[in-house]
Amino acid sequence: AQKVTQAQTEISVVEKEDVTLDCVYETRDTTYYLFWYKQPPSGELVFLIRRNSFDEQNEISGRYSWNFQKSTSSFNFTITASQVVDSAVYFCALSGGSSNTGKLIFGQGTTLQVKP
Amino acid sequence: ETGVTQTPRHLVMGMTNKKSLKCEQHLGHNAMYWYKQSAKKPLELMFVYNFKEQTENNSVPSRFSPECPNSSHLFLHLHTLQPEDSALYLCASSLQVTTDTSTDTQYFGPGTRLTVL
């Protein structure tokens, strides 16, 4: 069965600190996709990144970076020099390949609070 | 309008009421989804439609009835709900549900906050 674990329920940092959000996944598929979404207080899930299982290259987008490690089944997300606007709930999600039905398996989410 | 829109944004209903949630996507996608987000629970997929055909019903109680008249619109009809159905209902769309090993990104609407009294 597929599963996503975000062990950090809540994280609180002070503005300009770096913060890493952890994501560990379980799947038997050889082809799969991993996602990160941001959910600000308004409620809408905002898509951040999509990676497939064959692409382990780390990615950087501005202050955001992602570290994908198949050996540890992890897909961690780092925000550099955090800002108050980064305060939100962040979800990691997994979708299967061979049994693809469009289903996204979400983790429990990590609530990030960035204090000024 | 751009992206995925949902109406109403907030809804309060009694257990005997009948109401409908509406979702519209302006992305030219062919797959649409309903998710339920309860407090302290992960997002749960409810239904998937691909080219107007339902492809997934995740064991959702019959008091929730989806309707997809075309690829741009998705409804969730509600009747005789229970207080535990109070949640944020999110709609999403993607290019399509593929049958190969690829997965398209899902884009979400702002949700409808439902309270059942």
Side-chain angles (χ1 to χ4, degrees):
Chain A
Q2 296 182 310
K3 185 179 177 182
V4 175
T5 302
Q6 294 179 255
Q8 304 149 308
T9 306
E10 294 183 21
I11 300 176
S12 181
V13 299
V14 177
E15 208 169 17
K16 297 184 183 176
E17 283 184 19
D18 298 347
V19 58
T20 295
L21 309 182
D22 298 332
C23 173
V24 174
Y25 62 92
E26 295 175 30
T27 183
R28 293 186 178 180
D29 290 323
T30 54
T31 302
Y32 51 89
Y33 290 77
L34 293 161
F35 301 80
W36 275 96
Y37 285 88
K38 172 183 179 180
Q39 187 176 39
S42 58
E44 178 178 355
L45 266 76
V46 178
F47 165 71
L48 296 178
I49 190 171
R50 166 180 176 257
R51 303 293 278 180
N52 75 55
S53 51
F54 296 108
D55 184 0
E56 286 193 72
Q57 192 169 8
N58 291 332
E59 181 155 339
I60 298 174
S61 176
R63 295 183 297 106
Y64 295 171
S65 62
W66 290 269
N67 183 358
F68 178 26
Q69 303 239 339
K70 279 179 84 167
S71 59
T72 55
S73 297
S74 65
F75 186 44
N76 297 337
F77 172 32
T78 297
I79 302 175
T80 303
S82 59
Q83 299 176 2
V84 173
V85 293
D86 296 326
S87 297
V89 183
Y90 290 85
F91 291 94
C92 180
L94 166 70
S95 108
S98 58
S99 57
N100 180 40
T101 57
K103 198 171 195 172
L104 279 181
I105 307 299
F106 284 87
Q108 293 272 27
T110 297
T111 300
L112 174 64
Q113 184 181 33
V114 181
K115 298 177 182 177
Chain B
E1 294 275 18
T2 58
V4 181
T5 58
Q6 290 186 243
T7 54
R9 293 294 308 276
H10 300 272
L11 178 62
V12 178
M13 59 186 288
M15 289 192 285
T16 58
N17 291 157
K18 289 185 180 180
K19 296 286 185 184
S20 296
L21 310 185
K22 179 183 175 182
C23 174
E24 185 173 1
Q25 59 92 4
H26 309 267
L27 299 169
H29 290 165
N30 298 296
M32 297 189 77
Y33 311 76
W34 279 118
Y35 285 86
K36 176 184 178 182
Q37 186 179 25
S38 307
K40 300 184 180 181
K41 277 189 176 182
L43 280 88
E44 302 171 70
L45 178 68
M46 299 175 73
F47 301 103
V48 180
Y49 278 82
N50 195 38
F51 292 93
K52 301 189 298 179
E53 297 297 320
Q54 188 180 117
T55 58
E56 180 97 7
N57 177 338
N58 200 23
S59 303
V60 180
S62 59
R63 57 185 184 271
F64 295 92
S65 174
E67 179 190 1
C68 188
N70 54 61
S71 292
S72 298
H73 294 86
L74 184 65
F75 296 89
L76 188 63
H77 303 300
L78 317 170
H79 64 97
T80 59
L81 294 192
Q82 305 297 312
E84 59 263 30
D85 296 322
S86 298
L88 180 67
Y89 289 84
L90 290 159
C91 173
S93 73
S94 69
L95 191 57
Q96 61 184 26
V97 176
T98 57
T99 55
D100 60 17
T101 55
S102 177
T103 294
D104 293 322
T105 298
Q106 294 179 26
Y107 295 90
F108 286 78
T112 295
R113 175 72 62 186
L114 173 67
T115 302
V116 181
L117 302 176

